[in-house]
Amino acid sequence: MYVAIVKVEDIQFTRDDNQILQDITWDIEKGQQWGMLGLNGSGKTTLLSIISTYEIPSSGEVEVLGKRFGSAYLPELRKKIGFVSSSLEKFSDYFWNESIERIIISGKFASFGIYDEIIAEDWIRADYLVKEFRLEDVKGKKFRLLSEGEKRRVLIARALMGNPDLLILDEPCSGLDILAREQFLEALKIATENNVHLVYVTHHIEELVPEITHVLLLKEGKIVASGPKTEVLTDELLSETYQVPVTIEWHAERPYLSMK
């Protein structure tokens, strides 16, 4: 059992003499679901890259799923971390001409393509995920023929294929219309019911659905605040984060932002 799902202690990240992250200390405890907010250039992408094992901090300590960087075999650890982003569709031509089932199964291997043996249980789990994410109507179709909303649901199903303990969602609703966005957000309930811990990054705080319990605010590579959602999402802290005066209102346990 992990003491913490993610634990970062006093990490710094510098690239080409540019300090991108400064003094970041942050824990994700078991049972918590996190949102992450900040302007472009605040360090969100770099912090995501670190906790998903694709970057190593310049200094400080990182532990993910009980494995400490420096002693863990990161490619193996990566298999327990799901990742969903609108940009994933651009990473590989592999997606476009493959069936949704094979794309989902590839998530087991954390690869763009399938280079290992597919066993009967893989097809059974893929079929289960197709049903869970209401993709029966497009079963067998090639990825390129799907709507944007269907593509995102395939990607989250792919991310869950390997039963990850941590699921990172990097602006997953970017480019979706309102209906597709709400369908995707509804699918997050399925993820949390599968005992996955979420890190959800967005520019739109209304996407922080009730399942999100905690929020991290970043500004210029530093933490403005972190903690329970209702304590962190205040007019004062969000105004500091976004560097403009804003006010927040709550409807159906979801926050909505407007300018003062």
Side-chain angles (χ1 to χ4, degrees):
M1 181 179 294
Y2 310 127
V3 176
I5 302 301
V6 172
K7 188 176 185 66
V8 298
E9 298 180 12
D10 193 29
I11 64 169
Q12 326 286 324
F13 188 90
T14 303
R15 179 182 288 128
D16 299 328
D17 297 324
N18 179 30
Q19 189 162 31
I20 298 171
L21 294 176
Q22 304 175 53
D23 308 320
I24 301 292
T25 296
W26 176 40
D27 291 354
I28 298 176
E29 301 292 341
K30 191 172 179 64
Q32 296 176 349
Q33 313 293 347
W34 281 79
M36 187 186 298
L37 302 172
L39 295 175
N40 289 337
S42 62
K44 301 189 304 298
T45 298
T46 301
L47 184 53
L48 286 187
S49 296
I50 290 171
I51 66 172
S52 60
T53 77
Y54 288 99
E55 293 278 11
I56 303 296
S58 304
S59 63
E61 299 290 335
V62 181
E63 188 175 297
V64 177
L65 305 179
K67 304 295 184 181
R68 185 173 292 272
F69 285 23
S71 59
Y73 180 56
L74 298 185
E76 191 63 30
L77 175 58
R78 220 165 275 151
K79 293 180 180 179
K80 300 302 293 179
I81 303 171
F83 184 78
V84 176
S85 169
S86 58
S87 63
L88 259 184
E89 298 158 27
K90 305 170 186 175
F91 285 174
S92 175
D93 290 340
Y94 156 75
F95 284 124
W96 296 102
N97 291 308
E98 274 288 8
S99 69
I100 68 167
E101 295 94 328
R102 287 182 61 84
I103 290 172
I104 290 170
I105 287 173
S106 74
K108 174 185 176 181
F109 309 108
S111 61
F112 295 111
I114 299 174
Y115 309 101
D116 297 274
E117 180 184 1
I118 301 174
I119 59 177
E121 287 80 1
D122 296 335
W123 291 110
I124 292 170
R125 176 150 179 83
D127 191 57
Y128 162 78
L129 291 168
V130 165
K131 293 174 181 175
E132 280 285 275
F133 288 97
R134 302 191 306 277
L135 292 163
E136 295 100 322
D137 290 346
V138 295
K139 189 174 180 180
K141 281 192 175 182
K142 294 181 178 179
F143 190 76
R144 59 184 171 82
L145 300 176
L146 307 185
S147 70
E148 289 303 312
E150 290 164 344
K151 288 176 182 176
R152 302 297 163 79
R153 298 209 302 278
V154 168
L155 292 179
I156 196 171
R158 175 184 183 272
L160 292 177
M161 179 68 194
N163 292 301
D165 294 311
L166 177 63
L167 177 57
I168 297 171
L169 301 158
D170 183 14
E171 298 186 40
C173 292
S174 175
L176 297 185
D177 61 29
I178 292 174
L179 175 60
R181 183 188 74 172
E182 292 305 309
Q183 289 174 335
F184 182 89
L185 294 174
E186 181 71 20
L188 294 185
K189 293 181 181 179
I190 300 170
T192 57
E193 288 167 359
N194 278 265
N195 299 314
V196 175
H197 294 81
L198 304 178
V199 177
Y200 190 102
V201 179
T202 181
H203 285 296
H204 305 284
I205 69 168
E206 67 272 15
E207 294 176 12
L208 299 181
V209 291
E211 287 73 24
I212 301 294
T213 60
H214 290 66
V215 172
L216 176 74
L217 302 180
L218 283 175
K219 174 187 173 185
E220 297 175 350
K222 296 181 179 179
I223 293 177
V224 174
S226 67
K229 179 170 61 177
T230 54
E231 295 178 13
V232 171
L233 296 182
T234 66
D235 293 0
E236 294 76 16
L237 290 173
L238 287 169
S239 295
E240 180 181 351
T241 301
Y242 290 127
Q243 302 177 46
V244 291
V246 298
T247 187
I248 186 171
E249 295 182 359
W250 295 83
H251 300 286
E253 298 184 69
R254 286 171 67 175
Y256 292 82
L257 196 70
S258 58
M259 301 295 295
K260 282 187 177 179

